Amino acid sequence: MLLLMVVGLGQIFQNYKYRTDCILVHRNMFSFSQWDQLFIFPVLCEEALSLAEGLIKKSDFVLSIMLPYWQAGITAYREERYADSLMFILPQMECSLRCVYTRANNCPHRLQTAEILAKNVKRTEINALPTMLGEPIMELLWDLLNNPEGPRIRDHLSHGEVDLTSFPRVIANEILASSLVLLYKFIGKPCKELEENEIMGKIVSSAETYSSQFHPIGKLRNQVLKCIKQLQDHNDLPRPPQDQIERNPRFQSSELQLHTKDTTLKRIIFCIQKHFPEEHRDALIVEEYIQDNSKLFHLPELWNHHISTLYCPRAVLEVVSLLRKIVSQCSKVTEQVVYSSESRYTEWMNKSLRSRQRITYIHLLNSTQYITPAMRLLLLICTVYIFNVYNLCAQQQMQDHLKFLKLSLQFAENLVTFTNSEKNKWSESINLIDKYFDKVELFFKAINFKEDKL
C-alpha cells in the first residue's frame, strides 16, 4: 500500500508541476562532516576483508540464514560500492545486536522491541549489554549510530538523505571494522591464528581503547585542544620594530602591573592544581604554564584518559554545556586578538594609522599581555572540570560550581565584546581581567577550604 501511495504521490506532483510550471526543489543531500574524527580504525586492506569473510563463518554473532547478506556486504566494500556495503552490513549488525541484547538481558520476547543502546531494559533493570560488550565499544556504537552530533550513519542512509554514488569510504570502513570487532568478540572457541594476527589486533585495540568523540564530553575535549592550539598564535603576534616602540612611551606596560598579574596567576594556578588529576599534577609546572600553554597540549596521557560518557546524568551535561560555551567564547577572543593585531600591524607599518588609532593599537598590544594569560587560565579551568565533572556533580557544592562557571561565561562573553575590532575596548579588557582573576582566586580558595574542612 505504501509503495503504491508513494508512486501515486509522485504522479500527482508531476501533473501539478506541468499545470502550474512550478519547480519542485529537492532538499540537499546530507554531507558527512568531521571526517578527521571518524578515523578510528586502520584502513581495511584485502587481508582484513579476508579475515572478515572467515569470521562471519565462525562467529556466533552471525545468524546462519543471514550469512549471504554479510558476504554481499564485504563483496560490495571490496568493489568500492560503499553505500551498498552498508545497506547489507548495518541491518545485520542491528539484527545480531538485538539477539545479543535478548540473551544478555534474558528477555527473548524483546527481540523486535529491543532498545539496544538504552540504559534500562525495564524501569528497575539495567541493560546488561554494556557489561557484555565493554563500555568503549558501547560508546563507539553510540557515536556512529546515535549521538546527535555524530554522523548517525544508519538514520541518514535509511532515510535516503545521502548520495549513494559518492558515499565516503571512511564511513564504510568504520562500520565494517566495528562489525569485525563484534564478530571477533563472539567467536566462541579461541582461535590462536586470529589472536596473533597483527591487523586484527590493531582493529580490536582501536575499539577497546575508544573514547567518545561525539558525546558532549568528547566534543568539549576536542574544543579545548583546538583552542589551546589556536592560542599558540598569540606567541607570534607581529610587533612594530623596537626603535618605534621606544619612541612611544604609551606602549610600555607598567612593570608593577605585570608583576602583580603574574603573582596573582601563580596563586590561582596553585589553588587549581589541587583539582588536577593526581598522576598529572607534577607535569603542570606553574611558571611554564603562565608563559606558554603548550605544555597542557602535550600531555597525551592526560587527554587519552577515558571519561565515561554512557548515560550521563543531567547535572553533568549541564556543566559540560556551560564549559563548551566558555571554550567557544575563548576561541572567539583568540581569533579577534589575532585579527586585530595583524591588521593594525600592517596599517602601522604602512603609516596609515591616524594618531588616535595608533594609541588604540598601543593599548591592544599592552592588553595582549593580559588577555593571553586569561585565556590560558580559562582553558586550564575547563580542563580541570572535564576530568572532575562526575565528582563535582556528586558534591554538595554543585550550585557553587555552577555559579562560578556562569560567572566565567559572562566574563568570556564580555571579553569577546571588548576585543571586537569595532569596539577596541582594550583598557576595559585589562580591568575586566583583573577583576575576574580576583574572583577566581576567591572561589578556589573557598572551595579548597571547604574540602579541607570536610
Side-chain angles (χ1 to χ4, degrees), residues 146-344:
N146 211 51
N147 271 328
E149 294 186 73
R152 292 174 58 213
I153 298 162
R154 178 189 178 279
D155 290 356
H156 294 301
L157 190 60
S158 64
H159 294 157
E161 297 174 351
V162 294
D163 184 354
L164 304 182
T165 59
S166 59
F167 195 87
R169 174 181 178 174
V170 61
I171 293 176
N173 189 89
E174 303 313 293
I175 292 293
L176 189 53
S178 301
S179 69
L180 266 171
V181 173
L182 294 169
L183 290 165
Y184 179 80
K185 200 162 186 69
F186 294 93
I187 194 67
K189 294 179 181 178
C191 180
K192 191 175 181 181
E193 183 184 349
L194 278 172
E195 289 172 0
E196 294 177 355
N197 186 279
E198 185 179 353
I199 294 173
M200 196 69 227
K202 287 180 180 178
I203 292 170
V204 172
S205 175
S206 298
E208 291 182 344
T209 57
Y210 184 74
S211 287
S212 175
Q213 300 294 307
F214 298 106
H215 185 276
I217 290 176
K219 298 292 284 186
L220 171 61
R221 286 166 70 140
N222 290 332
Q223 266 185 280
V224 171
L225 284 168
K226 183 180 177 182
C227 197
I228 289 172
K229 200 171 182 181
Q230 276 182 316
L231 198 53
Q232 301 309 301
D233 292 340
H234 281 209
N235 297 335
D236 302 315
L237 291 178
R239 299 171 73 86
Q242 188 64 29
D243 60 331
Q244 294 183 24
I245 295 174
E246 290 170 354
R247 290 202 300 269
N248 287 274
R250 292 175 185 269
F251 197 94
Q252 303 300 325
S253 297
S254 163
E255 292 298 324
L256 179 61
Q257 267 188 313
L258 290 173
H259 176 72
T260 304
K261 178 259 298 176
D262 284 350
T263 305
T264 306
L265 258 178
K266 285 180 185 177
R267 291 199 305 267
I268 292 170
I269 295 173
F270 275 122
C271 288
I272 292 174
Q273 204 170 22
K274 179 182 176 182
H275 302 275
F276 219 67
E278 191 172 349
E279 62 271 28
H280 301 296
R281 282 178 198 167
D282 294 339
L284 183 67
I285 300 169
V286 175
E287 287 78 7
E288 286 184 9
Y289 189 76
I290 289 173
Q291 300 303 321
D292 183 5
N293 73 335
S294 62
K295 183 74 175 176
L296 187 61
F297 184 78
H298 298 293
L299 287 176
E301 299 85 5
L302 172 67
W303 294 106
N304 291 336
H305 179 75
H306 184 262
I307 303 172
S308 176
T309 61
L310 280 181
Y311 318 124
C312 264
R314 187 180 294 274
V316 170
L317 293 175
E318 186 177 358
V319 171
V320 170
S321 176
L322 276 171
L323 292 171
R324 291 184 70 181
K325 290 175 183 175
I326 291 168
V327 178
S328 178
Q329 298 303 306
C330 284
S331 184
K332 287 180 184 176
V333 171
T334 302
E335 289 170 0
Q336 288 180 175
V337 168
V338 170
Y339 171 78
S340 295
S341 296
E342 290 178 346
S343 58
R344 290 302 184 196

Side-chain angles (χ1 to χ4, degrees), residues 80-127:
E80 299 182 5
R81 294 183 291 114
Y82 301 121
D84 291 346
S85 174
L86 292 198
M87 285 186 214
F88 284 112
I89 297 295
L90 277 170
Q92 299 315 311
M93 275 182 67
E94 182 176 342
C95 178
S96 295
L97 281 169
R98 285 175 179 275
C99 293
V100 172
Y101 173 95
T102 58
R103 292 201 299 269
N105 295 296
N106 193 26
C107 55
H109 61 284
R110 291 290 305 275
L111 184 62
Q112 291 184 335
T113 59
E115 296 179 19
I116 301 165
L117 301 177
K119 181 179 181 179
N120 297 91
V121 180
K122 295 179 182 177
R123 184 170 293 181
T124 56
E125 291 181 23
I126 301 294
N127 182 2

Side-chain angles (χ1 to χ4, degrees), residues 343-359:
S343 58
R344 290 302 184 196
Y345 171 78
T346 301
E347 291 170 332
W348 175 287
M349 298 306 291
N350 292 336
K351 297 182 179 179
S352 59
L353 290 175
R354 297 188 301 274
S355 175
R356 188 174 183 82
Q357 289 174 324
R358 288 197 297 275
I359 294 170

